Structure formats: structure tokens, C-alpha cells
Amino acid sequence: MKLFVDGRKDVFTILEQKISAKDQTIWFHAASLGEYEQGLPVIEKIKDKYPSHKIVVTFFSPSGYEVRKNNTVADTTVYLPLDTPKNSKRFIELVHPDLVFFIKYEFWINYLDQLQKQNISTYLISGIFREKQLFFKWYGGFYRKALDTFTHFFVQNENSRKLISSLGKTNVTVSGDTRFDRVVTILEKDNTLDFIAQFKDNKTTIVIGSSWPKDEAILSEYINSSNNDVKFIIAPHNIKLEQIKQLQNSITKKTVLFSEKENKDLSQFEVFIVDTIGILTRIYSYGDIAYVGGGFGNPGVHNLLEPATFAIPIVIGPNYSHFEEAINLVKIGGCISINDSKELEIAFSTLIQNTDLRHQKGEICGTFVQKNKGATNRILKEITH
């Protein structure tokens, strides 16, 4: 909460310093880190398309801003001031954007109203709509007005298109999810991590990404009882010292932390705990099986597309109904959803012992990502035609 409040204190001063009245700008707004990553392929393409424009990126939450405040794609990255008539008017006067993109969701009424008054083209990209949202309730008239301000909606799926069309909107394109475009580019990068290669030591490796304590409770039970010659890499969602220590203490096998890896023969360890951020995507490239955490909590499972792009099978907890890619990957067989420690043991043991099945499920994941790429180009085509 302190970051949320303090981070907004100097926003207008920063904008005054970084943007002049002569500058041409394009503004992207992301709620948090996930939305930023989702919008990144579009930001990069727009930057190429409009090289003389300054790119302004805003975040609502500290979890996005603090991780990506030093990104290189934007010319200016700030918190979005709270949605009041006064703030929105001043913000838009200072930024004076030619184009505006809201990523996935977040409909700030005063900002949208101000953009419409000034006739500024405003787009929703990778939008997702659900029946439970206020727009579709009988009492949601105030929020429905917010939708009138958009120039065009680029939505992820046909269901979202139908929902928004039911409100009389015809300015809608099913473009897909731009996150697929982002994860496809990961394959083109150098994902080498020598210390992970040394730890892996050519053995079957399970990469556990974005795990929460509820995931770790059943995972540590499995790791401790596992007789297979398997390596485990755990990258917890929260890397606070007390949680890392708690996780480390729950594992009886020989364990090493990322922060303590220097001058150690990593091949001698069975479990590697990643107590840092920013390298999980590259670690997935060394995995034979992935477990993605969050599925025992609310709102649910974390990003499946990063391991999927490396064509490895994925295991998740039961809460994934809010995530279309998870629903689809479970349906087509690339991903296994488990409810408890017994089902986890069966899933892992089957994938470890049956290499043909493992590769088959991995291929399903990799193909799924490749088939769903292209949303960014569909959006660009519509905007710049």
C-alpha cells in the first residue's frame, strides 16, 4: 500500500520533465505485470511503426510497476494516478496521446471520458469479457457507458465478442491473445543458464514455477518420497527469506539455493530453489516436466504459456477455470490438473516413466502455442489500415 501511494506522488512532475508539448505520444495502460507482458508484443510493434512517437506505459499496481519500471521499450513508465476527474484531465493534458491502448481490462471511467471528449483513438487489446461483469447486469448502465468510449475492441475469443455484441457493439474483432506472440519469441532468444545445466546433469528435471505454500505442501511431500533419479527446480512466487527458509526446511533431499550456488558442484544436489526473479522463463527450457503453481488458490493458476512454448507437459492444481489457455490445454491433453497429493504422484510418476507419453503431451503444448500466435499482427492490421 505504501508503494501504491508513494509511487503516485511524483507522477505529474515526471511527466512534465519527460514529455514536452511538441512530443507525439502513444499511451499503453496495464493493470499489473501480467497485462504488461501481454501487451508487450503490441508495444514493440507500435514502437517500430511509429518511431517518432514517445511510448508512455502506466501501471495500476506496484507488482507490475516495481518489476518493470526500468523497461527499455517505453520512454516513460509511471503509475496511473487515481481515476478522478481532476487527475484524468491533467494526465491527458500532459501526455496528449495520439493513440491509447488499455490491455485486457480495467475501465477507468474518468480517463475514458476525457479521451472521448478529446476525440483520442482508444483501443482495448487482448480483451476478455465474462457474463459476471457489471456491463452485463441490469444495473450496470454506468459501466456500459465506459464501453462507448472505445474506438475498437480486440478480444481474445468468440464468447467475449458475443457478449459485447449483445450490448450493440459492432466495433469488435476476435484477434486472439497477444501473450502467445510474446512466448513464441522466447524460443528465438538465448535461454542458456550454465549453472542450471550443471545442476540438471542430463537427468530428468521437473521445473516448479510460481509455487505457493499450498502447492509446496504437496510438492515437498512428493519430492521427499520420490525414489526416481529426478532433479527438481523450484521457483516460488514469493521469494521472501522466511518463505524460502520454510520451503527449504520442508525438503529432506540435498538442496541448494540460487543465492548460495557459487563455488558448489551443483550436479551433486537434487533440489534447486530459485530465490531470485527474472530467470524462470529460461529455466523452463531445461525442464522435462513443468508444474505451474497457483492452482490451489484464488484466482488460480499462473502462466502456462511459458513452459508450453518449450513443448513440455504441464501439471497444475484444480483452480484454472478463469484461464482459457489452461482450460484448452487440459481439454486437449497437454496439461494435467490434479486435486491432491495422490493425483500429483500419479501424474508425475506416469510422465517420468512413460517418455513417449511425456513427449506426446509436450508436443501438444508446443503446437498449441504455435497455432495461437498472430494476434499482434491482426491488431496492427486493423489499427493502421
Side-chain angles (χ1 to χ4, degrees):
M1 188 50 97
K2 188 176 184 332
L3 289 169
F4 182 90
V5 174
D6 290 351
R8 285 173 161 77
K9 284 179 182 171
D10 301 321
V11 170
F12 293 122
T13 309
I14 292 165
L15 292 174
E16 283 167 353
Q17 289 167 353
K18 294 206 169 188
I19 299 169
S20 74
K22 293 181 294 185
D23 286 331
Q24 292 178 291
T25 70
I26 297 171
W27 169 32
F28 288 85
H29 175 66
S32 192
L33 183 59
E35 289 73 36
Y36 169 81
E37 300 289 355
Q38 193 154 31
L40 193 54
V42 180
I43 301 173
E44 289 169 340
K45 282 277 173 77
I46 287 285
K47 192 180 169 82
D48 289 344
K49 189 87 181 165
Y50 300 95
S52 59
H53 281 66
K54 283 188 171 178
I55 303 291
V56 177
V57 169
T58 57
F59 284 98
F60 179 73
S61 82
S63 60
Y65 177 78
E66 293 303 323
V67 176
R68 289 289 178 261
K69 60 186 173 187
N70 298 317
N71 72 80
T72 53
V73 73
D75 298 280
T76 305
T77 303
V78 291
Y79 279 103
L80 183 70
L82 293 176
D83 185 35
T84 65
K86 186 180 171 187
N87 281 349
S88 59
K89 193 168 187 295
R90 190 172 176 203
F91 180 89
I92 288 163
E93 276 173 5
L94 288 170
V95 176
H96 51 82
D98 293 327
L99 297 170
V100 176
F101 296 87
F102 281 70
I103 302 163
K104 193 175 181 182
Y105 44 53
E106 284 218 320
F107 303 92
W108 297 113
I109 305 288
N110 292 301
Y111 281 100
L112 290 168
D113 182 51
Q114 200 60 233
L115 291 165
Q116 189 180 39
K117 279 178 182 168
Q118 297 189 35
N119 202 25
I120 296 167
S121 296
T122 304
Y123 301 93
L124 182 73
I125 57 174
S126 282
I128 200 116
F129 289 95
R130 296 187 179 92
E131 282 176 44
K132 290 179 181 175
Q133 287 169 307
L134 284 165
F135 313 115
F136 310 109
K137 306 289 186 190
W138 64 267
Y139 50 81
F142 179 67
Y143 288 92
R144 280 194 286 277
K145 271 188 180 174
L147 300 179
D148 296 338
T149 63
F150 282 91
T151 309
H152 203 89
F153 299 91
F154 295 97
V155 296
Q156 291 187 31
N157 54 34
E158 183 60 25
N159 190 51
S160 292
R161 187 197 67 76
K162 282 179 180 169
L163 279 169
I164 199 160
S165 297
S166 73
L167 301 178
K169 305 285 175 222
T170 55
N171 52 337
V172 189
T173 301
V174 179
S175 57
D177 188 344
T178 49
R179 284 182 309 155
F180 287 96
D181 297 332
R182 190 188 77 77
V183 296
V184 164
T185 63
I186 292 168
L187 294 174
E188 297 157 16
K189 295 176 179 167
D190 179 9
N191 293 297
T192 310
L193 291 168
D194 291 339
F195 61 90
I196 294 292
Q198 189 193 13
F199 168 77
K200 181 179 170 75
D201 195 28
N202 294 318
K203 294 201 168 83
T204 303
T205 301
I206 297 176
V207 177
I208 295 157
S210 305
S211 58
W212 288 75
K214 281 184 180 174
D215 299 296
E216 290 156 9
I218 64 166
L219 286 161
S220 56
E221 187 185 322
Y222 175 80
I223 291 167
N224 293 339
S225 62
S226 172
N227 296 319
N228 298 300
D229 191 14
V230 173
K231 298 282 187 118
F232 298 90
I233 302 171
I234 310 174
H237 177 73
N238 187 335
I239 57 164
K240 285 182 179 165
L241 186 63
E242 63 270 22
Q243 274 201 232
I244 293 291
K245 283 290 169 204
Q246 200 175 332
L247 173 60
Q248 197 177 8
N249 292 337
S250 72
I251 295 167
T252 55
K253 292 200 168 171
K254 202 173 178 192
T255 303
V256 62
L257 301 183
F258 169 87
S259 58
E260 297 171 353
K261 71 182 190 306
E262 298 308 322
N263 305 317
K264 287 189 170 79
D265 180 358
L266 298 177
S267 65
Q268 298 304 302
F269 292 89
E270 295 164 285
V271 181
F272 188 106
I273 297 176
V274 185
D275 55 344
T276 187
I277 58 167
I279 60 171
L280 175 57
T281 306
R282 290 157 77 190
I283 290 172
Y284 279 132
S285 72
Y286 289 89
D288 298 289
I289 300 163
Y291 178 95
V292 177
F296 283 92
N298 207 356
V301 72
H302 286 271
N303 189 348
L304 269 65
L305 297 183
E306 288 183 352
T309 200
F310 291 110
I312 55 175
I314 302 164
V315 180
I316 59 172
N319 296 353
Y320 62 89
S321 61
H322 274 63
F323 305 92
E324 187 158 349
E325 69 278 12
I327 294 166
N328 288 329
L329 278 171
V330 169
K331 197 185 289 179
I332 62 177
C335 178
I336 301 168
S337 171
I338 55 103
N339 292 289
D340 52 39
S341 55
K342 184 66 188 159
E343 289 182 12
L344 178 83
E345 186 191 346
I346 293 165
F348 276 169
S349 299
T350 305
L351 291 171
I352 290 163
Q353 286 154 24
N354 189 337
T355 51
D356 287 345
L357 181 70
R358 186 165 83 221
H359 292 140
Q360 184 190 335
K361 286 185 174 294
E363 281 302 311
I364 290 170
C365 289
T367 305
F368 174 74
V369 171
Q370 292 296 326
K371 275 188 174 174
N372 283 284
K373 65 185 181 184
T376 304
N377 288 336
R378 286 189 278 276
I379 291 167
L380 264 287
K381 195 175 170 186
E382 180 72 35
I383 289 166
T384 57
H385 76 289

